[in-house]
Amino acid sequence: MSRKCEVCGKGQVSGNAVSHSNRHTRRKWNANIQTVRIVEENGTVRKANVCTKCLKSNKVNRAV
């Protein structure tokens, strides 16, 4: 599954995990991407990878 939202483009972010002894190791934060059925402008239904922020803000029309 793709780690990128098809609506807003939100994806994976990288940075450092910092331990208690202040050691730095690289890590990743994944966006909360869900595969949902959406209705496009022309009325067709298809599956899309959408982040939960776009789902909550009604940026996509979910198919019933």
Side-chain angles (χ1 to χ4, degrees):
M1 181 172 84
S2 175
R3 291 280 184 196
K4 193 170 280 276
C5 177
E6 295 181 20
V7 178
C8 66
K10 181 189 284 190
Q12 207 173 54
V13 180
S14 62
N16 286 316
V18 182
S19 69
H20 182 66
S21 62
N22 210 30
R23 283 177 161 264
H24 288 64
T25 55
R26 299 298 285 178
R27 65 157 291 184
K28 293 178 251 183
W29 285 270
N30 290 321
N32 193 356
I33 305 293
Q34 306 294 320
T35 303
V36 293
R37 294 173 69 234
I38 64 169
V39 179
E40 294 183 325
E41 280 90 29
N42 56 5
T44 60
V45 176
R46 71 174 184 95
K47 286 186 179 178
N49 295 319
V50 182
C51 71
T52 52
K53 192 168 184 178
C54 290
L55 288 174
K56 280 178 70 174
S57 61
N58 292 325
K59 290 186 179 178
V60 293
N61 293 327
R62 290 189 74 168
V64 179

